[in-house]
Amino acid sequence: MDLPVDEWKSYVFQKWSLLPKSTQVTISTAETLSDIFLHSSLLLQPEDEMFLQNLSRGYLVEKDPNAPLFYREEGNKKFQQKDYMGATVLYSKGISHSRPHTADISLCYANRSAALFHLGQHEMCLKDIMSAQMHGYPERLQPKMMLRKAECLVTLGRRQEASQTISDLESSFAAKPTLTAAQFQILQTNLCRLKMKAQEKESLTETFPAALTKALEDMDLKGENGQVPSASSSVSLRTDPLRGRYLVATKDILPGELLVKEDAFVSVLHPGEMPPLCHLESKWDTRVTNGDLYCHRCLDHTLATVPCDGCSYAKYCSHDCMQQAWDLYHSVECSLGGLLLTLGVFCHIALRSTLVARFEDASKVIRKLCGEIRNRDTCSPERETLVQTLTCDLGGESENKGKMLEPPVPGCDLNGKYESNYNAVFHLLPHTGNHSPEHRFLCALSVSALCRRLEAAGCYKPAAAVPPGSGSELDVWGVAMLKHVLQLHCNAQAITTIQHTGSKENSVTNSRQVRLATGIFPVISLLNHSCSPNTSVSFISTVATVRASQQIGKGQEILHCYGPHQSRMRAAERQQKLRSQYFFDCSCAACQNEKHSAATGPRWEAFCCRSCGALMQGDDVLICGSTSCTESVSRDHLISRLQDLQQQVGMARKLLRNDKPEGAIQLLLGCQRDAQSFLSGEHSLVGEMEDDLAQAYAALGDWQKSATHLQKSLQVVEVRHGPSSVEMGHELFKLAQLFFNGQV
């Protein structure tokens, strides 16, 4: 997903293996990104581009005139089954394939408005009704839709508009009667009912979730930070030869304090599972993906997506977002959807970053890029001319022309200010030498292919700083895109959201953190890693917030977890992950402490003695940790028992999903008795069983027992993930649902 599809990777790696040894050495030993890019681009052959183009055609991103009818009919089936959410998504897919001002798009909008009405999304329903009318919804079908509009207005407390709509509907029917006697009678009955509701309905107040979200969005940083505008005055930027750039506390910080609030420089929505057409049974995919539920620009959740007029892939929450995306980058990306899905999210972000940079003063960055190209020993006369033109054109006063004035900290401006802009993005480290030659070649060839496609389509407008007509400006930005692709290996930030599982009928719902998009956050990239960090990161749309998760003393470094957390992985696993992706060995306090801990392993994976209950210690053969006990057992035997127990728990969960809570409870209670003989009371599976029992008792309406088991689950979750963890928050939310629903 981040990197190109497997077929292209395999193709490029095979091409690399067949290159002459001397060519491999030239690319492997290249000292600059421009050398890597320009050498690799010379190796991109027409047959390579054809292979990539064939892969790109496997993704249906253009508008297909036959798709709207298919999706509308599939949506109607869901609607009849009262699966209004599924129907909404399918109607949206039909809308995305429809051309403006056609019967297809008007019918899909009207049908989606009906599904949204049943979901209680009355504002969205009204917008879809307006869109259906704007695109020429058939007049003979108008009465039913106008009745729905009046119902929405009444429900929303907009009585004057509702009364006007009802009056218009009565006048329209009187002028042009198009209904049968039976239909007229139903209409009259509904109109009378609505008139009565319109007289009684009061305006609705803002819902609590909406108000809470708005409050969180409006929360500002404490104090002004003149050095890092996206950070609070409680932190300061420092630099060190070993640690690089990092943030420290300038005063004592309390848990929960907002330290950083930063909007992504760019972000790209993860497409989710989007297999090529050759892997699908039908030509059109009916599955729900992130791309169907979230705005492709601001990442807001939406059921009523607004499609791009040029492609079927990009969808937005509003016409404003659609226009902003078009102006910034989508006018270029629109025709490249299949290619970008094939090349992966990193290539997509790299392209989008350079497109957004067109609207900034990227002059200093251009000079640096041109400097890299100029320093090549094999620089052509044409490229030298380009470099001279760019450098002279971008100079300030005559004495500074062609010179680069470097700020004291990379990424800062000359005044020492570090902002979330393209200059900061450009100065994130690509760690070029740490990547394998094959990986660098894959990235360079992918970017070269993207540049060729941009050049052929004539759709790439260079940055304002690059003189038009110079002929080689795409090479300059190709080097920039290659740098961004390599940067993202270490600097990409997963943008996550909380998704709830379970139907509305469930009294207690589960929630999980899922990856929604990938973005570049230059300020958050300043944070160094710890396996036990002192901050937590959360997201609202494209805005990331960093809060202190514990007390941070003045002068302490602000630390962030890059993924391998001590509550989720052992030290050996964490070190392997950090070396392979981030190219360093972690020496944080958590890793140091784990080196000196007992051989029992993490408490959430520990086995206990069947005789005395003490923790077992050792490697292949475990012995009781109590000096007065001589019990021993092989680790393989206990692991086998654990696997059997996990299988039994899985069967209990299946019973729960099939609405058989009594059977699930009996099976889980038996599993608990078995677990007590060999698992630590803080083992993660013990906590999971308590959680499952809580759900089963909640399904039976036994709130007291459900709360008791959930509180036991909370104890295990706190041991593993900590009191201020996201996981702890999920469990506490479930407990709150229990107290509310059961009045415990």
Side-chain angles (χ1 to χ4, degrees), residues 381-524:
E382 293 80 12
R383 186 159 283 110
E384 180 64 30
T385 301
L386 169 66
V387 171
Q388 290 176 355
T389 304
L390 287 173
T391 319
C392 292
D393 225 45
L394 298 173
E397 299 300 321
S398 57
E399 64 267 25
N400 290 329
K401 287 186 179 181
K403 296 181 180 179
M404 283 292 293
L405 296 176
E406 291 291 345
V409 179
C412 293
D413 61 20
L414 294 177
N415 296 317
K417 182 180 286 189
Y418 188 95
E419 297 186 89
S420 186
N421 57 19
Y422 188 69
N423 183 51
V425 170
F426 182 83
H427 283 89
L428 297 176
L429 295 178
H431 297 282
T432 309
N434 294 110
H435 296 284
S436 69
E438 295 89 347
H439 181 75
R440 295 201 297 267
F441 183 64
L442 169 67
C443 296
L445 208 67
S446 298
V447 170
S448 299
L450 181 55
C451 288
R452 293 265 185 98
R453 178 72 177 274
L454 289 164
E455 191 172 29
C459 57
Y460 189 88
K461 296 178 182 178
V466 180
S470 55
S472 298
E473 65 270 9
L474 205 54
D475 279 350
V476 175
W477 289 103
V479 176
M481 282 191 272
L482 174 58
K483 182 169 188 172
H484 297 326
V485 172
L486 295 177
Q487 284 172 335
L488 287 164
H489 196 77
C490 294
N491 292 285
Q493 176 66 53
I495 299 174
T496 59
T497 188
I498 302 298
Q499 288 186 352
H500 298 284
T501 58
S503 64
K504 286 186 176 180
E505 290 75 23
N506 290 347
S507 301
V508 180
T509 59
N510 284 316
S511 56
R512 61 193 181 106
Q513 193 174 35
V514 296
R515 188 174 186 176
L516 177 61
T518 299
I520 301 181
F521 297 85
V523 175
I524 291 179

Side-chain angles (χ1 to χ4, degrees), residues 517-660:
T518 299
I520 301 181
F521 297 85
V523 175
I524 291 179
S525 291
L526 295 172
L527 300 177
N528 282 328
H529 167 80
S530 170
C531 297
S532 180
N534 52 22
T535 63
S536 63
V537 181
S538 59
F539 300 89
I540 297 177
S541 301
T542 59
V543 177
T545 56
V546 179
R547 294 179 181 277
S549 59
Q550 60 191 56
Q551 188 165 340
I552 304 173
K554 180 180 179 180
Q556 270 188 269
E557 185 174 358
I558 311 297
L559 297 167
H560 168 47
C561 180
Y562 292 179
H565 197 284
Q566 68 162 352
S567 68
R568 300 181 184 92
M569 295 182 191
R570 292 192 180 206
E573 296 174 79
R574 300 199 303 268
Q575 294 290 1
Q576 183 181 8
K577 173 75 172 174
L578 292 167
R579 281 191 208 105
S580 63
Q581 184 171 350
Y582 299 99
F583 313 119
F584 70 86
D585 291 318
C586 184
S587 58
C588 71
C591 288
Q592 294 299 319
N593 292 338
E594 202 165 324
K595 284 181 181 178
H596 306 295
S597 64
T600 56
R603 286 183 286 173
W604 59 86
E605 293 180 2
F607 297 109
C608 70
C609 176
R610 65 177 180 177
S611 300
C612 67
L615 295 182
M616 304 294 285
Q617 300 180 5
D619 294 321
D620 295 336
V621 176
L622 300 177
I623 60 173
C624 181
S626 173
T627 55
S628 59
C629 182
T630 59
E631 191 73 35
S632 66
V633 64
S634 74
R635 182 180 291 276
D636 288 343
H637 173 70
L638 293 180
I639 289 175
S640 177
R641 287 189 65 184
L642 177 61
Q643 291 170 343
D644 290 341
L645 188 59
Q646 288 170 329
Q647 189 174 5
Q648 292 293 309
V649 172
M651 292 171 62
R653 288 171 181 164
K654 187 174 181 181
L655 290 172
L656 262 178
R657 289 194 298 270
N658 293 333
D659 296 323
K660 296 178 180 178

Side-chain angles (χ1 to χ4, degrees), residues 104 130 239 374 407 419 669:
D104 281 332
M130 188 182 301
T239 183
R374 168 185 277 158
E419 297 186 89
L669 290 175

Side-chain angles (χ1 to χ4, degrees), residues 136-146 172 175-176 178-179:
Y137 189 64
E139 188 175 349
R140 60 185 173 81
L141 301 176
Q142 289 278 352
K144 188 176 181 181
M145 190 170 71
M146 294 303 291
S172 175
K176 295 180 181 179
T178 58
L179 302 178

